[in-house]
Amino acid sequence: MLRALLYILPLALTIYAFIDCLNTPEEETKHLPKVVWVIIVLLFWIVGPIVWIFAGKARRPASARGGSGGWVAPDDNPEFLKSLKQQDGADDEAVLKDWEADLRRREEELKKRESDEDTEK
């Protein structure tokens, strides 16, 4: 089992680094062109992926990932949440008023039926 890990771990690291290198935009690569990084990752089986991970890509800190330049999930975007509150406020009140009116109408119909049943007896 240990012998298998000696081959599986570097292979997994190489595959990860290769895919990461391919998915990285050209402007985020450091020191060398992207094509050269791909060749380094593939030719130097163990050292190439490690060098790519530590020196090849411009890494951003975790706090900068959701900044103004990057994509932000809708539930983390305060502007999107504010727009939802503005849209839903007026719509919700109108729907609530319609439901209340419908409920009152149904209650009146039930009372009328009950009173009609009581008078029949």
Side-chain angles (χ1 to χ4, degrees):
M1 181 65 184
L2 189 58
R3 287 183 186 174
L5 282 177
L6 290 174
Y7 293 102
I8 293 173
L9 288 177
L11 180 65
L13 181 66
T14 302
I15 291 170
Y16 168 78
F18 179 68
I19 292 172
D20 187 43
C21 186
L22 290 177
N23 288 333
T24 301
E26 184 73 38
E27 59 270 2
E28 288 185 19
T29 58
K30 294 186 338 187
H31 308 294
L32 296 171
K34 185 175 173 179
V35 177
V36 175
W37 277 116
V38 170
I39 294 170
I40 289 173
V41 167
L42 292 177
L43 283 181
F44 302 104
W45 200 52
I46 295 172
V47 178
I50 293 172
V51 172
W52 163 255
I53 289 172
F54 289 108
K57 182 177 181 180
R59 307 274 179 200
R60 294 179 288 169
S63 61
R65 288 186 184 137
S68 61
W71 180 83
V72 179
D75 58 341
D76 292 336
N77 188 343
E79 296 164 2
F80 176 74
L81 295 174
K82 189 187 303 181
S83 71
L84 284 180
K85 288 179 184 176
Q86 291 171 351
Q87 291 174 357
D88 290 343
D91 295 340
D92 289 345
E93 290 179 21
V95 169
L96 185 60
K97 287 180 182 179
D98 290 342
W99 285 352
E100 287 177 352
D102 187 45
L103 182 62
R104 285 193 192 107
R105 183 185 53 79
R106 289 181 183 194
E107 286 177 346
E108 290 174 6
E109 288 176 3
L110 279 174
K111 287 179 184 177
K112 193 181 237 185
R113 284 183 196 166
E114 288 177 357
S115 65
D116 290 343
E117 289 176 4
D118 290 339
T119 56
E120 288 178 5
K121 289 183 182 178

